[in-house]
Amino acid sequence: MSQVEVRGFQTEVKELLQLMIHSLYSNPEIFLRELISNASDACDKLRFEAVSDEALYEGEESLRIQVSFDEKARTVTLSDNGIGMNRDEVIENIGTIARSGTRAFIEKLGQDKAKDLSQIGQFGVGFYSAFIVAEEVTLTTRRAGMGAEHGVRWVSRGEGEYSLETVDLPTRGTTIELKLREDQAEFANDWRLRSVIRKYSDHITFPIEMLKAAAPSEDGADTAVVPEWERVNDAKALWTRAKSDISDEEYTEFYKHVGHDWEAPLAWSHNKVEGKTEYTSLLYLPGRAPFDLWDRETKQGVKLYVKRVFIMDDADKLMPRYLRFVRGVIDSADLPLNVSREILQSNRILDTIRQGSVKRVLGMLDSLAKDEAEKYSKFWGVFGQVLKEGVGEDFANREQIAGLLRFATTQSGSDDQKVSLKEVIGRMTEGQEDIYYIIADSYAAALASPHLEIFRKKGIEVLLLWDRIDEWLMSHLSEFDGKKFKSVTRAELALDEEAQSATPETKETEGALVERLKKVLAEQVDDVRLSKRLVDSPACLVTSDEDMSLHLQRLLKDMGQNAPTVKPILEINPQHRLLTRAAAEADDARFEDYARVIFGQAALAEGGQLNNAADFVQRMNRLLVS
Ligand code: ADP
Ligand code: MG
């Protein structure tokens, strides 16, 4: 037998183990759910790999998970005949190296006073939940297809290090023995284990077995009875059952399993599709965002099965990126069992399934929006920004996705995004042809923009946008229900406007003012014009229809990309006191102070920055004190 090697955990794993060991967690039974879920994954993996290499079965094809206990020794043992692990995999997966979710999980617990450890599975660190109940964990494993001499034994008390040893293991798979802490001895009990298994793991598709309670033999001798294993869970793939036979509790429990979530989903849709392509889908909308929602590499999502054999977990093949929050399973009757990732890359059956599933999800969102407004607004709050990506990504469904968007507007009265485009169209004023919007850095900045003044005056509703993705969103959204979208910061506004200035004299003064401003600000602005949109503010900046908006230029610069610097157009409100004063100013130096202060203000109101703040302040102060 080989030597025992002792290794240390990485700092993050140590921290996590400390949390486990010292938690006074009120729901310790979840350790069983996590370990059974791992055992079930291991069986799935074996079945998948064995499709192309039958030898991996080593003559034993019936996959199962067994749970046993020893009350006297205070142990609980879980054993699966799944794929198993080799030495490197043990080190990689449950040893030294912290997995990507470890840090996120520790941080989450740090914030969460309730210390809800049951979230552990979602972060990909479920194995460590063993230490909630165990003072020592012994894992022995051998990878399917390798010789008996390649077994590995891993032992740890969760205190910073573990030992590793090569052992002989004639059977493949993984066995985990938990030496329970004294205060967790209750788990070494038949009734307790069975009820926890039924509660959390009924939907696991492999049999979970426990030993039959040994019936006392008649003559009192207890040697004759060989204990028999019996199945404890239902072990039937939930999605293959008839809808009418499945209770909401069962749907919810299954969601928690496939979604790695601990809360109930918002909604689900279960469908058997028959015809040219046959498949079953069970798709869920979660009520909360996973920790890696914004991580480009996330792998969770919808699981693909072929005739109930798990094939893969890869989200993008079955759902577009903008629906990456959807969880569930799709089980195809038509794909070959030995599909490879390469085949799936371009496969007509899969394309059909994907299109159909996207329709299901959008349909589910439509009916949620229609019938359960409260749930929909919860959905929007969590995933709205992700759904917005769909407007640019999914051309075929753009109109339907646009119908699902929710906005804050000048009439909604708060930064809650809850107004649909349909409502905005329904409230359009007489003669209004377009849907107006403004994009700013924040809700407050959007609401305070001088550009909105004329719209307020005319009672026209304007969409207020400030999410990071909104520039991109609006660049892909040009029409909805036959109405065009128009930015209120664009130069050409199709608002018929009564002439603002009346007499020929005022016209002349205004013309002269415009010319003087143009001369002073030639470097900063492309043009100076009389504004049709200002009511209370002295001036604002607009961009021409072809140019990139000022907001987008700023965003790109913030992200370190070069954006072309486009000179804006300065629009002035000639009736404003500041402008009438400037117009009356004979001294050229003082006029320049006015001009630069007016331009600087307009840039600031826009959320922009001043190129020379000190100069602006000096000029403003000169005007204020004299
Ligand atoms: P997750 O299951 O989310 O990946 P866990 O912490 O529960 O995270 O498990 C970590 C990894 O350890 C698994 O991804 C798997 O590779 C490995 N593992 C755990 N239990 C088993 C098992 N019973 N058989 C084979 N591999 C396992
Ligand atoms: Mg797990």
Side-chain angles (χ1 to χ4, degrees), residues 33-39 41 99 120-122 124-127 260:
R33 176 189 73 192
E34 294 302 326
L35 297 181
I36 287 177
S37 140
N38 286 349
D41 289 350
R99 292 156 64 80
I120 191 164
Q122 199 185 26
V125 289
F127 173 78
H260 294 280

Side-chain angles (χ1 to χ4, degrees), residues 20-37:
M20 295 297 141
I21 294 168
H22 297 292
S23 77
L24 295 170
Y25 184 49
S26 59
N27 202 22
E29 64 196 31
I30 56 123
F31 82 91
L32 199 57
R33 176 189 73 192
E34 294 302 326
L35 297 181
I36 287 177
S37 140

Side-chain angles (χ1 to χ4, degrees), residues 523-539:
E523 298 264 296
Q524 279 80 27
V525 303
D526 194 40
D527 198 5
V528 179
R529 292 183 196 163
L530 298 177
S531 184
K532 292 176 180 173
R533 65 189 102 210
L534 295 174
V535 178
D536 303 313
S537 298

Side-chain angles (χ1 to χ4, degrees), residues 38-39 41-42 45 80 83-85 93-94 99 121 124-127 174:
N38 286 349
D41 289 350
K45 278 183 211 158
D80 68 67
I83 191 74
M85 285 178 271
N93 294 332
I94 52 179
R99 292 156 64 80
V125 289
F127 173 78
T174 305

Side-chain angles (χ1 to χ4, degrees), residues 9 22 51 79 105 110 141 184 186 195 215 252 342 391 476 563 597:
F9 292 114
H22 297 292
V51 169
S79 166
F105 183 60
T141 184
Q184 303 290 348
E186 59 170 284
S195 63
T252 301
E342 291 66 42
V391 169
H476 288 93
V597 165

Side-chain angles (χ1 to χ4, degrees), residues 417-482:
Q417 299 173 354
K418 55 186 181 200
V419 182
S420 70
L421 292 174
K422 246 198 164 122
E423 288 171 83
V424 173
I425 290 174
R427 295 199 282 251
M428 277 184 158
T429 55
E430 177 88 18
Q432 181 185 346
E433 307 239 313
D434 303 321
I435 303 172
Y436 294 102
Y437 68 92
I438 181 168
I439 307 179
D441 293 335
S442 65
Y443 170 71
L447 201 62
S449 168
H451 293 282
L452 296 179
E453 289 169 4
I454 188 68
F455 293 90
R456 285 222 179 77
K457 193 172 156 195
K458 288 175 166 287
I460 297 174
E461 184 164 21
V462 178
L463 309 179
L464 306 174
L465 296 155
W466 65 90
D467 285 337
R468 251 188 118 65
I469 189 178
D470 286 338
E471 281 284 356
W472 190 83
L473 169 73
M474 296 315 290
S475 71
H476 288 93
L477 194 61
S478 51
E479 263 188 51
F480 176 75
D481 203 12

